Protein backbone atom coordinates (compact mmCIF):
# COMPACT_ATOMS: atom_id res chain seq x y z
CA UNK A 1 0.00 0.00 0.00
CA UNK A 2 1.52 3.32 -1.09
CA UNK A 3 1.44 6.30 1.27
CA UNK A 4 2.27 9.46 -0.58
CA UNK A 5 3.48 12.88 0.55
CA UNK A 6 2.99 15.88 -1.75
CA UNK A 7 5.09 18.90 -0.74
CA UNK A 8 3.79 22.11 -2.32
CA UNK A 9 0.12 21.07 -2.52
CA UNK A 10 -1.12 24.66 -2.78
CA UNK A 11 0.80 25.44 -5.95
CA UNK A 12 -0.03 25.16 -9.63
CA UNK A 13 0.97 21.49 -9.99
CA UNK A 14 0.34 20.31 -6.44
CA UNK A 15 -3.27 21.45 -6.22
CA UNK A 16 -4.17 19.22 -9.18
CA UNK A 17 -1.76 16.36 -8.53
CA UNK A 18 -3.07 15.72 -4.98
CA UNK A 19 -6.65 15.25 -6.22
CA UNK A 20 -5.56 12.90 -8.98
CA UNK A 21 -3.40 10.84 -6.62
CA UNK A 22 -6.22 10.66 -4.07
CA UNK A 23 -8.48 9.27 -6.79
CA UNK A 24 -5.97 6.51 -7.51
CA UNK A 25 -4.50 5.65 -4.10
CA UNK A 26 -7.35 6.66 -1.75
CA UNK A 27 -7.91 9.99 -0.02
CA UNK A 28 -6.28 8.98 3.23
CA UNK A 29 -3.10 7.72 1.64
CA UNK A 30 -2.18 11.03 0.06
CA UNK A 31 -0.78 13.59 2.53
CA UNK A 32 -0.81 17.17 1.32
CA UNK A 33 1.58 19.76 2.79
CA UNK A 34 2.62 23.32 2.06
CA UNK A 35 3.56 26.52 3.88
CA UNK A 36 0.43 28.11 2.37
CA UNK A 37 -3.22 27.19 2.84
CA UNK A 38 -4.40 25.00 -0.04
CA UNK A 39 -7.71 25.16 -1.94
CA UNK A 40 -10.63 23.77 0.14
CA UNK A 41 -10.96 20.65 -2.02
CA UNK A 42 -7.47 19.64 -0.86
CA UNK A 43 -7.86 20.31 2.86
CA UNK A 44 -11.34 18.77 2.93
CA UNK A 45 -10.74 15.63 0.88
CA UNK A 46 -7.85 14.16 2.89
CA UNK A 47 -4.95 14.87 5.23
CA UNK A 48 -3.38 18.34 5.03
CA UNK A 49 -0.74 19.89 7.24
CA UNK A 50 1.32 23.06 7.17
CA UNK A 51 4.91 21.83 6.79
CA UNK A 52 8.06 23.64 5.70
CA UNK A 53 10.29 21.47 3.49
CA UNK A 54 13.26 23.57 4.66
CA UNK A 55 12.75 22.20 8.19
CA UNK A 56 14.62 18.90 7.79
CA UNK A 57 13.86 17.44 11.23
CA UNK A 58 10.14 18.05 11.02
CA UNK A 59 10.03 16.69 7.48
CA UNK A 60 11.82 13.49 8.48
CA UNK A 61 9.50 13.04 11.51
CA UNK A 62 6.45 13.58 9.32
CA UNK A 63 7.60 10.96 6.81
CA UNK A 64 8.47 8.36 9.46
CA UNK A 65 5.36 9.00 11.59
CA UNK A 66 3.02 8.67 8.63
CA UNK A 67 4.86 5.70 7.09
CA UNK A 68 5.31 7.57 3.80
CA UNK A 69 6.58 5.47 0.86
CA UNK A 70 6.80 8.12 -1.89
CA UNK A 71 7.36 11.87 -1.98
CA UNK A 72 6.55 14.46 -4.65
CA UNK A 73 8.59 17.57 -3.86
CA UNK A 74 7.08 20.47 -5.79
CA UNK A 75 8.37 23.38 -3.70
CA UNK A 76 10.32 25.94 -5.75
CA UNK A 77 10.87 29.60 -6.54
CA UNK A 78 10.20 29.91 -10.30
CA UNK A 79 12.45 31.53 -12.91
CA UNK A 80 11.47 35.19 -12.97
CA UNK A 81 10.97 35.46 -9.20
CA UNK A 82 14.35 33.79 -8.67
CA UNK A 83 16.07 36.50 -10.73
CA UNK A 84 14.82 39.09 -8.20
CA UNK A 85 16.27 37.23 -5.20
CA UNK A 86 19.07 35.07 -6.66
CA UNK A 87 20.87 33.91 -3.52
CA UNK A 88 17.69 33.29 -1.55
CA UNK A 89 16.12 31.41 -4.47
CA UNK A 90 19.20 29.22 -4.84
CA UNK A 91 19.12 28.50 -1.11
CA UNK A 92 15.40 27.62 -1.08
CA UNK A 93 15.43 25.50 -4.24
CA UNK A 94 18.54 23.55 -3.34
CA UNK A 95 17.76 23.06 0.35
CA UNK A 96 14.24 21.86 -0.48
CA UNK A 97 15.70 19.24 -2.82
CA UNK A 98 18.57 18.18 -0.56
CA UNK A 99 16.20 17.74 2.40
CA UNK A 100 13.93 15.42 0.42
CA UNK A 101 16.91 13.48 -0.99
CA UNK A 102 18.25 13.00 2.54
CA UNK A 103 14.83 11.99 3.85
CA UNK A 104 14.53 9.44 1.04
CA UNK A 105 17.96 8.09 1.93
CA UNK A 106 17.20 7.83 5.67
CA UNK A 107 13.60 6.58 5.60
CA UNK A 108 11.34 4.12 3.81
CA UNK A 109 10.18 6.87 1.41
CA UNK A 110 12.65 5.77 -1.24
CA UNK A 111 10.68 6.94 -4.26
CA UNK A 112 11.08 10.66 -4.94
CA UNK A 113 9.65 12.84 -7.71
CA UNK A 114 11.21 16.23 -8.24
CA UNK A 115 10.41 18.48 -11.20
CA UNK A 116 13.13 19.79 -13.43
CA UNK A 117 12.45 22.22 -16.25
CA UNK A 118 13.29 23.37 -19.77
CA UNK A 119 15.21 26.08 -17.86
CA UNK A 120 18.16 23.66 -17.53
CA UNK A 121 19.04 24.62 -21.10
CA UNK A 122 20.63 27.92 -22.07
CA UNK A 123 21.50 30.18 -24.99
CA UNK A 124 24.24 27.82 -26.26
CA UNK A 125 21.84 24.82 -26.43
CA UNK A 126 20.40 23.89 -29.86
CA UNK A 127 17.01 25.64 -29.77
CA UNK A 128 14.99 23.33 -32.01
CA UNK A 129 14.13 19.75 -31.17
CA UNK A 130 16.53 20.05 -28.22
CA UNK A 131 18.03 16.62 -27.50
CA UNK A 132 18.08 14.92 -24.10
CA UNK A 133 21.86 15.08 -23.98
CA UNK A 134 23.24 18.35 -25.25
CA UNK A 135 25.06 21.53 -24.25
CA UNK A 136 23.62 22.79 -20.96
CA UNK A 137 24.75 26.22 -19.84
CA UNK A 138 21.71 27.76 -18.10
CA UNK A 139 22.11 31.44 -17.29
CA UNK A 140 19.28 31.89 -14.77
CA UNK A 141 19.43 31.04 -11.06
CA UNK A 142 16.40 28.81 -11.48
CA UNK A 143 17.98 26.95 -14.41
CA UNK A 144 21.27 26.51 -12.59
CA UNK A 145 19.43 25.13 -9.55
CA UNK A 146 17.45 22.70 -11.74
CA UNK A 147 20.56 21.44 -13.53
CA UNK A 148 22.43 21.01 -10.25
CA UNK A 149 19.34 19.27 -8.83
CA UNK A 150 19.25 16.75 -11.66
CA UNK A 151 22.87 15.88 -11.02
CA UNK A 152 22.19 15.46 -7.29
CA UNK A 153 19.16 13.26 -7.99
CA UNK A 154 21.16 10.93 -10.18
CA UNK A 155 23.96 10.93 -7.61
CA UNK A 156 21.62 9.85 -4.80
CA UNK A 157 20.21 7.12 -7.05
CA UNK A 158 23.63 5.71 -7.89
CA UNK A 159 25.25 6.15 -4.53
CA UNK A 160 22.40 5.58 -2.04
CA UNK A 161 19.70 3.75 -4.00
CA UNK A 162 17.16 6.60 -3.79
CA UNK A 163 14.50 5.93 -6.47
CA UNK A 164 14.77 9.44 -7.94
CA UNK A 165 12.51 10.27 -10.90
CA UNK A 166 12.13 13.55 -12.75
CA UNK A 167 10.88 15.27 -15.88
CA UNK A 168 11.90 18.58 -17.44
CA UNK A 169 8.50 20.27 -17.53
CA UNK A 170 7.77 22.71 -20.31
CA UNK A 171 5.57 25.71 -19.37
CA UNK A 172 2.44 24.35 -17.65
CA UNK A 173 -1.01 25.64 -18.54
CA UNK A 174 -3.84 25.28 -16.04
CA UNK A 175 -6.98 27.02 -14.83
CA UNK A 176 -7.37 25.72 -11.24
CA UNK A 177 -4.36 27.39 -9.65
CA UNK A 178 -2.37 30.04 -11.47
CA UNK A 179 1.44 29.80 -11.49
CA UNK A 180 3.46 32.56 -9.88
CA UNK A 181 6.77 34.07 -10.88
CA UNK A 182 7.52 32.00 -13.99
CA UNK A 183 8.54 33.05 -17.49
CA UNK A 184 5.92 30.84 -19.15
CA UNK A 185 3.11 32.33 -16.99
CA UNK A 186 1.93 34.46 -19.91
CA UNK A 187 0.31 31.36 -21.39
CA UNK A 188 -2.00 31.15 -18.34
CA UNK A 189 -2.56 34.89 -17.74
CA UNK A 190 -3.62 35.39 -21.35
CA UNK A 191 -6.69 33.17 -20.84
CA UNK A 192 -7.86 34.86 -17.64
CA UNK A 193 -7.43 38.30 -19.20
CA UNK A 194 -9.15 37.20 -22.42
CA UNK A 195 -12.21 36.05 -20.45
CA UNK A 196 -12.24 39.01 -18.05
CA UNK A 197 -11.20 41.93 -20.27
CA UNK A 198 -10.90 40.75 -23.87
CA UNK A 199 -7.43 42.32 -23.68
CA UNK A 200 -3.96 41.15 -22.65
CA UNK A 201 -0.63 42.90 -22.27
CA UNK A 202 1.99 40.26 -22.97
CA UNK A 203 5.44 40.40 -21.36
CA UNK A 204 7.05 38.33 -24.14
CA UNK A 205 7.37 39.32 -27.78
CA UNK A 206 4.83 37.91 -30.23
CA UNK A 207 7.28 35.51 -31.93
CA UNK A 208 8.79 33.83 -28.88
CA UNK A 209 8.27 30.10 -29.35
CA UNK A 210 8.30 28.07 -26.14
CA UNK A 211 7.26 24.49 -25.32
CA UNK A 212 4.11 24.23 -23.16
CA UNK A 213 1.87 21.48 -21.81
CA UNK A 214 -1.72 21.38 -20.57
CA UNK A 215 -1.86 20.39 -16.90
CA UNK A 216 -3.93 17.22 -17.47
CA UNK A 217 -1.15 15.87 -19.68
CA UNK A 218 1.53 16.94 -17.22
CA UNK A 219 -0.18 15.19 -14.27
CA UNK A 220 -0.93 12.05 -16.24
CA UNK A 221 2.69 11.74 -17.38
CA UNK A 222 4.11 12.51 -13.96
CA UNK A 223 2.12 9.66 -12.40
CA UNK A 224 3.00 7.42 -15.34
CA UNK A 225 6.70 8.00 -14.71
CA UNK A 226 6.27 7.31 -10.98
CA UNK A 227 4.42 4.07 -11.71
CA UNK A 228 6.89 2.89 -14.39
CA UNK A 229 8.95 -0.26 -13.94
CA UNK A 230 12.32 0.92 -12.54
CA UNK A 231 14.11 -1.47 -14.88
CA UNK A 232 12.77 0.48 -17.85
CA UNK A 233 14.18 3.83 -16.73
CA UNK A 234 17.42 4.47 -18.59
CA UNK A 235 17.74 7.97 -17.13
CA UNK A 236 17.94 8.93 -13.49
CA UNK A 237 18.59 12.60 -14.06
CA UNK A 238 15.49 14.07 -15.73
CA UNK A 239 13.53 13.25 -18.88
CA UNK A 240 12.86 15.79 -21.65
CA UNK A 241 9.11 16.36 -22.05
CA UNK A 242 8.10 18.31 -25.16
CA UNK A 243 4.41 19.20 -25.00
CA UNK A 244 3.34 21.63 -27.71
CA UNK A 245 5.34 24.57 -29.03
CA UNK A 246 3.77 27.89 -30.00
CA UNK A 247 4.29 31.66 -29.88
CA UNK A 248 2.14 34.21 -28.01
CA UNK A 249 0.83 35.35 -31.40
CA UNK A 250 -0.22 31.82 -32.39
CA UNK A 251 -1.93 31.36 -29.04
CA UNK A 252 -3.74 34.70 -29.39
CA UNK A 253 -4.91 33.71 -32.89
CA UNK A 254 -6.42 30.51 -31.50
CA UNK A 255 -8.15 32.43 -28.69
CA UNK A 256 -9.53 34.94 -31.24
CA UNK A 257 -11.38 32.09 -32.96
CA UNK A 258 -13.56 31.99 -29.83
CA UNK A 259 -13.39 35.68 -28.98
CA UNK A 260 -13.06 37.74 -32.17
CA UNK A 261 -12.65 41.04 -30.25
CA UNK A 262 -9.74 39.81 -28.17
CA UNK A 263 -6.62 41.95 -28.55
CA UNK A 264 -3.04 41.65 -27.32
CA UNK A 265 -0.35 44.27 -26.90
CA UNK A 266 3.26 43.05 -26.69
CA UNK A 267 5.52 44.75 -24.16
CA UNK A 268 8.51 42.47 -23.56
CA UNK A 269 10.21 42.99 -20.17
CA UNK A 270 13.18 41.31 -18.43
CA UNK A 271 11.52 37.91 -18.87
CA UNK A 272 12.13 38.09 -22.63
CA UNK A 273 15.83 37.49 -22.05
CA UNK A 274 15.06 34.39 -19.97
CA UNK A 275 12.74 33.01 -22.66
CA UNK A 276 15.32 33.70 -25.39
CA UNK A 277 17.73 31.30 -23.68
CA UNK A 278 15.22 28.43 -23.57
CA UNK A 279 14.40 25.85 -26.27
CA UNK A 280 11.66 26.45 -28.81
CA UNK A 281 10.93 22.74 -29.12
CA UNK A 282 12.11 19.56 -27.44
CA UNK A 283 12.88 15.97 -28.39
CA UNK A 284 11.23 13.67 -25.84
CA UNK A 285 11.66 10.36 -27.66
CA UNK A 286 13.51 8.73 -24.73
CA UNK A 287 10.58 9.33 -22.37
CA UNK A 288 8.19 7.91 -24.98
CA UNK A 289 10.30 4.80 -25.30
CA UNK A 290 11.19 4.24 -21.61
CA UNK A 291 7.89 4.85 -19.85
CA UNK A 292 5.34 5.65 -22.52
CA UNK A 293 4.97 9.44 -22.36
CA UNK A 294 1.84 10.44 -24.25
CA UNK A 295 0.01 13.73 -24.67
CA UNK A 296 -3.59 14.23 -25.61
CA UNK A 297 -3.87 17.99 -25.95
CA UNK A 298 -2.94 20.08 -28.98
CA UNK A 299 -3.25 23.88 -29.03
CA UNK A 300 -6.84 23.78 -30.24
CA UNK A 301 -8.16 21.37 -27.55
CA UNK A 302 -6.21 23.14 -24.88
CA UNK A 303 -7.62 26.56 -25.83
CA UNK A 304 -11.20 25.19 -26.01
CA UNK A 305 -10.82 23.65 -22.58
CA UNK A 306 -9.12 26.61 -20.91
CA UNK A 307 -11.66 29.18 -22.13
CA UNK A 308 -14.61 27.00 -21.14
CA UNK A 309 -13.28 26.22 -17.66
CA UNK A 310 -12.17 29.79 -16.89
CA UNK A 311 -15.52 31.09 -18.03
CA UNK A 312 -17.28 28.67 -15.67
CA UNK A 313 -14.91 29.50 -12.84
CA UNK A 314 -15.26 33.28 -13.11
CA UNK A 315 -19.01 33.13 -13.59
CA UNK A 316 -19.68 30.90 -10.59
CA UNK A 317 -17.60 33.24 -8.41
CA UNK A 318 -19.79 36.26 -9.17
N1 LIG B 1 7.47 27.39 -16.03
C1 LIG B 1 8.71 27.64 -15.36
C2 LIG B 1 9.04 29.06 -15.33
O1 LIG B 1 8.62 29.77 -16.21
C3 LIG B 1 9.81 26.90 -16.04
O2 LIG B 1 9.92 25.65 -15.51
O3 LIG B 1 9.75 29.47 -14.49
Amino acid sequence: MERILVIGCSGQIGSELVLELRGIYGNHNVFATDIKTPPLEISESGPFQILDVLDYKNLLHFVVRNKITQVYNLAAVLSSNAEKIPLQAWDINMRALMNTLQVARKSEAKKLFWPSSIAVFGPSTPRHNTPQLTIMEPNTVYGISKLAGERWGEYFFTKYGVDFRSVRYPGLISYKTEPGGGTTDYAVEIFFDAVKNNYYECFLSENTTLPMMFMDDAIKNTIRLMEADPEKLSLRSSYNMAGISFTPKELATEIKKHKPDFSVVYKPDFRQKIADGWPASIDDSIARKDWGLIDDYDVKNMVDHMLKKIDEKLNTKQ
Side-chain angles (χ1 to χ4, degrees), residues 27 30 36 55 67 72 159 171 286 310:
N27 286 355
V30 180
K36 284 185 295 196
D55 181 347
K67 300 187 168 57
Y72 289 77
K159 188 126 182 170
I286 303 183
I310 292 172

Side-chain angles (χ1 to χ4, degrees), residues 2 16 21 28 45 133 154 186 192 201 287-288:
E2 297 292 347
E16 300 209 27
L21 289 171
H28 294 287
S45 64
L133 296 174
E154 190 191 88
Y186 95 82
F192 281 89
E201 194 176 295
R288 289 178 192 272

Side-chain angles (χ1 to χ4, degrees), residues 49-67:
Q49 193 177 304
I50 295 281
L51 183 78
D52 186 353
V53 64
L54 301 181
D55 181 347
Y56 176 71
K57 269 195 187 155
N58 243 333
L59 177 67
L60 181 61
H61 285 159
F62 186 94
V63 165
V64 173
R65 197 171 60 242
N66 293 297
K67 300 187 168 57

Side-chain angles (χ1 to χ4, degrees), residues 82-290:
E83 291 307 298
K84 295 176 195 153
I85 46 161
L87 298 186
Q88 215 181 325
W90 169 262
D91 180 54
I92 294 169
N93 289 354
M94 293 314 292
R95 257 196 310 137
L97 170 64
M98 297 316 278
N99 283 354
T100 46
L101 283 169
Q102 272 294 68
V103 164
R105 182 182 165 197
K106 302 273 179 191
S107 74
E108 296 304 310
K110 287 280 171 265
K111 209 187 243 192
L112 172 62
F113 178 83
W114 175 82
S116 185
S117 157
I118 54 167
V120 290
F121 301 113
S124 54
T125 304
R127 260 179 78 73
H128 296 277
N129 209 24
T130 302
Q132 175 72 38
L133 296 174
T134 185
I135 301 168
M136 297 170 92
E137 297 182 318
N139 60 1
T140 62
V141 174
Y142 177 73
I144 300 169
S145 75
K146 288 296 184 190
L147 181 54
E150 290 186 7
R151 304 317 308 146
W152 275 112
E154 190 191 88
Y155 185 88
F156 268 68
F157 168 74
T158 313
K159 188 126 182 170
Y160 305 119
V162 169
D163 189 357
F164 180 82
R165 303 179 184 211
S166 176
V167 289
R168 293 171 180 157
Y169 284 126
L172 297 179
I173 300 180
S174 64
Y175 55 86
K176 283 199 181 156
T177 308
E178 289 186 62
T183 303
T184 56
D185 293 9
Y186 95 82
V188 175
E189 289 173 5
I190 194 171
F191 287 101
F192 281 89
D193 284 17
V195 173
K196 279 190 275 194
N197 311 320
N198 243 334
Y199 170 79
Y200 179 58
E201 194 176 295
C202 185
F203 59 77
L204 295 183
S205 72
E206 60 183 350
N207 294 321
T208 310
T209 310
L210 286 171
M212 304 276 178
M213 185 176 263
F214 189 52
M215 188 60 85
D216 288 27
D217 278 340
I219 300 281
K220 192 173 55 200
N221 282 308
T222 302
I223 297 174
R224 198 173 260 257
L225 169 63
M226 284 296 267
E227 289 182 341
D229 177 353
E231 300 292 314
K232 299 238 163 81
L233 303 181
S234 64
L235 290 171
R236 290 304 189 139
S237 49
S238 188
Y239 282 92
N240 273 8
M241 191 154 88
I244 38 182
S245 287
F246 52 80
T247 63
K249 192 178 174 187
E250 286 160 353
L251 184 56
T253 304
E254 203 57 48
I255 295 173
K256 272 187 202 164
K257 291 182 186 162
H258 298 257
K259 301 179 74 62
D261 296 334
F262 176 53
S263 66
V264 182
V265 167
Y266 297 92
K267 291 196 180 160
D269 65 14
F270 73 100
R271 289 168 278 193
Q272 183 65 44
K273 194 160 167 271
I274 302 178
D276 287 341
W278 289 357
S281 61
I282 305 258
D283 173 11
D284 60 12
S285 49
I286 303 183
R288 289 178 192 272
K289 180 169 146 282
D290 282 8

